[in-house]
Amino acid sequence: MTVRETSPRGRRAARPSGDDRELAILATAERLLGEKPLSAISVDDLARGAGISRPTFYFYFASKDAVLLSLLDRVVAEADAVSREAFDHPVSGPREGWGRVITAYYETFRAHRALTLAWAEARSSNAEIRRLWADVVESWVQRCTTAIEAERTRGAAPDGPPARDLAVVLASTNERVLYATFSGDGPALAETDVVDVLLEVWLRAIYGASPTD
Amino acid sequence: MTVRETSPRGRRAARPSGDDRELAILATAERLLGEKPLSAISVDDLARGAGISRPTFYFYFASKDAVLLSLLDRVVAEADAVSREAFDHPVSGPREGWGRVITAYYETFRAHRALTLAWAEARSSNAEIRRLWADVVESWVQRCTTAIEAERTRGAAPDGPPARDLAVVLASTNERVLYATFSGDGPALAETDVVDVLLEVWLRAIYGASPTD
DNA sequence: GCGTTTCTCGACACTCCGTCGGCTCGTTCG
DNA sequence: CGAACGAGCCGACGGAGTGTCGAGAAACGC
């Protein structure tokens, strides 16, 4: 087995024993995020949690945000795989198809609730995290755009705003509604209802007609 | 003229000359927010911008966030007034009515773009700002809920998810879509299109039907 | 064994925050 | 008129974080 190539993010070089430490830092981060918000976690907390001193932390990660980024990379990869699968899966009708898509999105982020909330917190202050999320949404929007256009072409959906614009709006809707549901601040939907309501709004937005006045 | 009662927030006591300083701090904050994100603005920046020292700043405001809160109070009051007016205004049909509502929301926050972005940044770390925004959205959702129920009662809109759930989703949609448009990061709609697209989605969500499969 | 690389940390320099105690005024009142 | 008071102001301090530097320990390659 040759020297393992780790991802560009993470520690500076690759060697055995240090791997444990890197994992320990990541695990500590995920654990602490379940207890308190990102802003209340210091580099020192992460270091001590992983059994090392603060300067040593910097041997493995460039900053607190770099740890979060590492964590997010994993979730993003998972979300992307699940989403791709949801879009490719054969379906019997629009309701089942879009329901599958929304459910996939919902399940993935629900499984990593703490990380999802931390991401939202870090986004406002970190350009790299912003970019990572923008990429995720973009690929999501593209898939939706294609699907909407296909529905229009086959005559199942009426014309309306450009498919991409519609996709951007719907992706934004999911993002904000699910975030509210998971974080629980401000008006939000119950976890048991959120997928159903979102699905109904999606279906109406894509297949429904607006009143002619 | 008796001693002016200032709002509970703001400086600790009320006396003439200090008013200028308080205003100067608020003005400085608004100016700096147009140049850099909230996180890049220090208390020292605000103090120096207002021509005072850092300790003196604390004579007027308890923290940087308190300044933002003061600024937001104003915008919130304005937004609330405009929104109330939009809902009460007599209209000739659904498209005009809802269009008025969405436009009001859009114009208000566009006029205070920098503040809107700062609010989003502060929300994740400040419970009081979170609560303020939650209240704003709540009153917004209630107005929408009532309006949707009225449309259903008069037979103009079909049944569907609970009106309140629909209202929460639509309010969230506006929030996220407009934020993306104003901040410009991630997939977003052009400022020229955003109201039209949102309106179409709203109309379909409220008046449209979903496919029966 | 011995150099090289990995890993580790104590100590430092820096930024920002919030507070305390004392200074300077103008106003009030005896 | 002159003390007393309070609004307004700031220098200086202590504390919490951050990121870096340079020197030491431990493992490895030969």
Side-chain angles (χ1 to χ4, degrees):
Chain A
M1 195 176 298
T2 58
V3 177
R4 209 182 102 242
E5 276 298 323
T6 53
S7 75
R9 277 196 269 279
R11 71 193 163 87
R12 302 205 260 273
R15 230 32 221 302
S17 169
D19 251 9
D20 303 339
R21 258 68 209 273
E22 188 170 331
L23 267 317
I25 292 173
L26 291 170
T28 303
E30 198 144 20
R31 179 172 58 78
L32 289 180
L33 281 175
E35 299 170 11
K36 45 186 172 182
L38 181 65
S39 59
I41 299 173
S42 71
V43 169
D44 203 59
D45 292 335
L46 295 178
R48 297 201 172 282
I52 55 177
S53 73
R54 205 170 55 80
T56 301
F57 167 91
Y58 289 99
F59 180 82
Y60 293 99
F61 292 96
S63 68
K64 187 170 73 174
D65 284 356
V67 176
L68 185 58
L69 225 22
S70 237
L71 250 19
L72 287 179
D73 274 348
R74 283 199 267 164
V75 177
V76 163
E78 184 187 331
D80 205 64
V82 173
S83 150
R84 187 182 306 272
E85 196 195 350
F87 272 100
D88 290 351
H89 201 281
V91 293
S92 65
R95 179 163 247 113
E96 190 204 335
W98 293 107
R100 202 176 280 277
V101 166
I102 293 170
T103 302
Y105 192 98
Y106 167 75
E107 295 287 1
T108 305
F109 288 101
R110 193 170 78 101
H112 303 278
R113 186 184 302 243
L115 222 49
T116 302
L117 302 187
W119 138 70
E121 201 184 332
R123 178 166 58 156
S124 54
S125 64
N126 184 304
E128 205 171 348
I129 289 184
R130 227 162 21 233
R131 239 186 50 77
L132 176 64
W133 183 250
D135 288 349
V136 171
V137 176
E138 177 59 36
S139 81
W140 227 72
V141 164
Q142 276 172 21
R143 275 197 267 273
C144 282
T145 304
T146 306
I148 292 171
E149 275 164 354
E151 290 296 81
R152 286 183 177 175
T153 305
R154 80 176 177 95
D159 263 356
R164 184 184 160 86
D165 286 358
L166 206 49
V168 168
V169 170
L170 293 175
S172 301
T173 299
N174 274 20
E175 182 182 329
R176 184 66 187 103
V177 169
L178 288 180
Y179 176 82
T181 293
F182 291 150
S183 75
D185 65 50
L189 303 191
E191 279 195 36
T192 45
D193 305 338
V194 68
V195 169
D196 286 343
V197 177
L198 282 175
L199 178 55
E200 187 62 24
V201 170
W202 277 59
L203 291 175
R204 289 183 175 190
I206 297 170
Y207 300 97
S210 57
T212 48
D213 271 33
Chain B
M1 195 176 298
T2 59
V3 176
R4 211 183 100 242
E5 276 297 323
T6 53
S7 73
R9 277 196 269 280
R11 70 193 163 90
R12 303 204 261 271
R15 230 30 222 305
S17 168
D19 252 10
D20 302 339
R21 258 66 209 275
E22 190 172 329
L23 268 317
I25 292 174
L26 290 171
T28 303
E30 198 145 19
R31 179 172 57 79
L32 289 180
L33 281 176
E35 297 170 12
K36 46 185 172 180
L38 181 66
S39 58
I41 300 174
S42 70
V43 170
D44 204 59
D45 292 334
L46 296 178
R48 298 204 171 280
I52 55 178
S53 74
R54 205 168 56 77
T56 300
F57 167 91
Y58 288 99
F59 180 82
Y60 294 99
F61 291 96
S63 67
K64 186 170 72 174
D65 283 356
V67 177
L68 186 57
L69 226 22
S70 238
L71 250 19
L72 287 180
D73 273 348
R74 282 199 269 165
V75 177
V76 163
E78 183 188 332
D80 205 62
V82 173
S83 151
R84 186 182 307 270
E85 196 196 351
F87 271 101
D88 290 350
H89 201 280
V91 294
S92 66
R95 179 163 247 112
E96 190 204 334
W98 293 107
R100 202 175 280 276
V101 167
I102 293 171
T103 302
Y105 193 99
Y106 167 76
E107 295 287 0
T108 305
F109 288 100
R110 193 170 78 101
H112 303 277
R113 186 183 303 244
L115 222 48
T116 302
L117 302 187
W119 137 69
E121 199 183 334
R123 177 165 60 153
S124 56
S125 64
N126 184 304
E128 207 171 347
I129 289 183
R130 226 163 21 234
R131 240 186 50 76
L132 177 64
W133 183 249
D135 289 348
V136 172
V137 176
E138 178 58 36
S139 80
W140 225 73
V141 164
Q142 277 172 20
R143 275 197 265 272
C144 281
T145 303
T146 305
I148 291 171
E149 276 165 354
E151 289 296 81
R152 286 182 178 176
T153 304
R154 78 174 178 99
D159 263 354
R164 184 184 160 86
D165 286 358
L166 205 49
V168 168
V169 170
L170 293 175
S172 301
T173 299
N174 273 22
E175 182 182 328
R176 183 68 187 104
V177 168
L178 288 180
Y179 177 82
T181 294
F182 291 150
S183 75
D185 64 50
L189 303 191
E191 279 196 35
T192 45
D193 305 340
V194 68
V195 170
D196 286 344
V197 177
L198 282 174
L199 177 56
E200 186 62 24
V201 170
W202 277 59
L203 291 175
R204 289 183 175 191
I206 296 170
Y207 300 96
S210 57
T212 49
D213 271 33

